Amino acid sequence: MSEYKTFNADDAIAFADEHSELFGEHSKLSAEELADGDLNLVFRVENDKGTSVIVKQALPYARFVGESWPLTTDRARLEAEVLKMHRRFCPEHTVEVRYFDPVACAILMEDLDDYRILRAELNDGKKFNHLAPQMASYMANTLFYTSDFVLSSENKKAEVARFLNPELCLISEDLFFTDPYCNHERNTIEPSILEKAKTLWHDDALKAEVAALKASFLSKPQALLHGDLHSGSVFINSDNCKVIDAEFGFFGPIGFDVGTLLGNLLLNYLASPGLHDAEDSASQQAYLLEQAEQLWLQFSETFTELMNRETQDPALENNLYQQRFLQQVFSDAAGYAGCELIRRTVGLAHVADLDSISDAALRTQCQRNALKLGRELIMQRSELNNINQLLNLVRYQQAD
Ligand code: SR1
Ligand code: MG
């Protein structure tokens, strides 16, 4: 392809045929467009034997808003490069990129057709005990091996530059740290919680803490993040999890990935009473808190082992420093989890966990709980010494 053109189904077939050894007979291929939801065009291309691949193309705008929101197609390169890098360090839990075309801004990747999106599974009340250990392993490996503990100073700076992602970072900066705390036209706020949302706009103590979290997001290039590790970016089945959709990746604070995922477990926890009957909700909530606990414990255990064993920089081998580093990641993660709860409740990009609660009064109560817990996590993040203290905050918080 000599110039960028938006793919139709035939283009996706031609692209898959040209760049995949799995196929061969063009005439026997079919393509269906999948709903990607947010930003891109996604096709599943399949042959008559049921072998399939995914073709994902970046559009020059944000798909779910429309052409009025232009967006760089270079995000496809960033996504392909982040996924390749993460797959180097955690092949089990990162989707495989098979080919990237920089002109078409299109990626050919593994089809996870025997997996389902984690968010949909959790909303259906499904439980997977491998979720926490596998995602902890994904985060510990991808984040440790792209950090200063391993990369040389020179190489790290080159990698930070290679993964600069200003346009997509700006989206996160606005949607996480700015819009929910003012009367922004991008926000979607249900009338029943408008008064609660307005209290955020005038909460200076909270806004000071959110400013500190934003400053860290802007200026703490600790590791190559996934950058959008919510439960819609994780595919799961009865054995395994795989992470997709890394177009928001950049070098940022490790706690941002950990906190985004933790925040999504907590969003599902808070939505649970609106999605299930009392007995099922109690059981789902117990499962989610156990996963949240294990996610942090296993992440910190693996990260600690890696720091002990694999640190290359002699100064960073210091044990006390390493403990402090991890404690800071924990408090960052608590804060970013809080931001995720708030922005998914009153910001632009909501989640089905809360929005699909059909009983309006219950939905309002769950949304209020999300705002309350979000605030507590942000405000108390530096005083929380361990995951049990954080989970107690979750268990015992009640909305006013
Ligand atoms: C305009 S993009 C809105 C949201 O979708 C993505 O998946 C990110 O979470 C982003 O904040
Ligand atoms: Mg996405």
Side-chain angles (χ1 to χ4, degrees):
M1 182 172 274
S2 56
E3 61 181 28
Y4 179 90
K5 164 187 180 295
T6 304
F7 280 179
N8 58 29
D10 282 340
D11 299 321
I13 288 175
F15 183 76
D17 195 23
E18 187 178 349
H19 301 296
S20 170
E21 288 159 13
L22 293 172
F23 292 147
E25 282 192 71
H26 193 118
S27 58
K28 294 187 176 161
L29 301 180
S30 62
E32 80 176 294
E33 193 182 331
L34 306 179
D36 166 62
D38 292 338
L39 302 177
N40 308 292
L41 260 181
V42 182
F43 296 91
R44 168 178 288 128
V45 180
E46 192 167 2
N47 69 11
D48 57 347
K49 304 203 171 48
T51 303
S52 53
V53 291
I54 295 294
V55 174
K56 177 171 180 177
Q57 185 185 40
L59 294 167
Y61 53 88
R63 188 181 188 196
F64 92 113
V65 176
E67 294 185 33
S68 61
W69 189 333
L71 206 53
T72 175
T73 49
D74 186 46
R75 66 186 189 272
R77 173 189 66 85
L78 284 151
E79 169 163 12
E81 292 300 319
V82 174
L83 289 172
K84 281 194 235 164
M85 182 76 97
H86 281 188
R87 202 171 151 84
R88 247 175 87 190
F89 302 120
C90 192
E92 308 88 331
H93 307 307
T94 310
V95 70
E96 183 188 7
V97 169
R98 300 200 175 140
Y99 182 77
F100 168 64
D101 183 324
V103 176
C105 305
I107 304 173
L108 187 82
M109 66 178 99
E110 168 188 16
D111 185 10
L112 301 171
D113 56 346
D114 50 348
Y115 289 69
R116 283 194 70 208
I117 289 286
L118 175 62
R119 188 183 307 287
E121 295 292 75
L122 294 179
N123 286 346
D124 284 351
K126 302 268 178 56
K127 301 181 177 75
F128 304 88
N129 289 327
H130 57 280
L131 173 63
Q134 293 185 355
M135 290 306 296
S137 171
Y138 165 79
M139 293 191 299
N141 282 287
T142 58
L143 298 170
F144 177 78
Y145 283 107
T146 58
S147 73
D148 291 307
F149 291 104
V150 178
L151 301 183
S152 71
S153 170
E154 245 186 334
N155 189 18
K156 165 86 181 314
K157 288 171 182 64
E159 290 297 72
V160 169
R162 189 161 73 95
F163 286 99
L164 286 180
N165 194 353
E167 281 195 38
L168 276 83
C169 281
L170 182 60
I171 292 177
S172 298
E173 289 151 21
D174 289 341
L175 300 192
F176 271 83
F177 309 113
T178 303
D179 297 3
Y181 305 95
C182 64
N183 185 14
H184 202 285
E185 61 185 11
R186 277 188 297 245
N187 290 335
T188 303
I189 306 171
E190 286 208 36
S192 59
I193 58 159
L194 184 58
E195 285 311 309
K196 268 276 158 230
K198 280 185 182 172
T199 64
L200 301 174
W201 308 345
H202 307 291
D203 187 339
D204 267 350
L206 177 64
K207 286 166 78 166
E209 297 304 323
V210 172
L213 287 159
K214 179 171 185 176
S216 287
F217 184 89
L218 291 166
S219 58
K220 197 146 95 174
Q222 289 180 326
L224 179 59
L225 308 188
H226 176 280
D228 195 24
L229 199 52
H230 59 83
S231 48
S233 296
V234 179
F235 267 102
I236 194 159
N237 64 19
S238 55
D239 305 315
N240 200 22
C241 304
K242 286 209 186 194
V243 172
I244 61 163
D245 260 9
E247 64 211 321
F248 284 79
F250 74 112
F251 272 81
I254 289 175
F256 187 75
D257 270 3
V258 180
T260 301
L261 187 58
L262 182 63
N264 276 265
L265 295 183
L266 298 180
L267 276 165
N268 197 261
Y269 171 95
L270 294 167
S272 188
L275 295 171
H276 314 290
D277 66 31
E279 194 183 328
D280 289 349
S281 169
S283 141
Q284 188 71 2
Q285 287 193 322
Y287 160 75
L288 288 162
L289 290 196
E290 195 208 311
Q291 291 299 300
E293 181 184 19
Q294 289 307 314
L295 185 73
W296 174 258
L297 291 179
Q298 299 198 30
F299 167 80
S300 57
E301 187 182 311
T302 306
F303 205 92
T304 300
E305 272 170 29
L306 291 169
M307 286 192 294
N308 284 335
R309 210 180 61 221
E310 305 276 345
T311 298
Q312 303 295 312
D313 183 322
L316 304 189
E317 282 175 351
N318 181 280
N319 201 256
L320 194 55
Y321 166 73
Q322 293 184 351
Q323 287 171 30
R324 282 194 202 138
F325 181 90
L326 209 51
Q327 191 56 39
Q328 184 62 51
V329 170
F330 179 70
S331 83
D332 286 354
Y336 290 124
C339 293
E340 178 71 351
L341 294 189
I342 291 175
R343 74 122 177 175
R344 296 296 192 182
T345 308
V346 295
L348 169 77
H350 285 215
V351 286
D353 314 43
L354 288 170
D355 282 14
S356 68
I357 298 171
S358 51
D359 181 308
L362 260 177
R363 191 171 63 251
T364 299
Q365 190 56 47
C366 295
Q367 289 176 330
R368 289 166 67 98
N369 287 341
L371 296 182
K372 174 87 187 322
L373 179 60
R375 185 181 192 281
E376 294 304 314
L377 288 170
I378 293 168
M379 297 303 290
Q380 296 193 38
R381 69 190 189 286
S382 305
E383 279 80 57
L384 296 171
N385 292 319
N386 56 53
I387 187 70
N388 279 320
Q389 288 182 3
L390 187 155
L391 295 179
N392 279 337
L393 205 61
V394 177
R395 282 186 192 100
Y396 303 120
Q397 65 90 34
Q398 294 286 320
D400 314 315

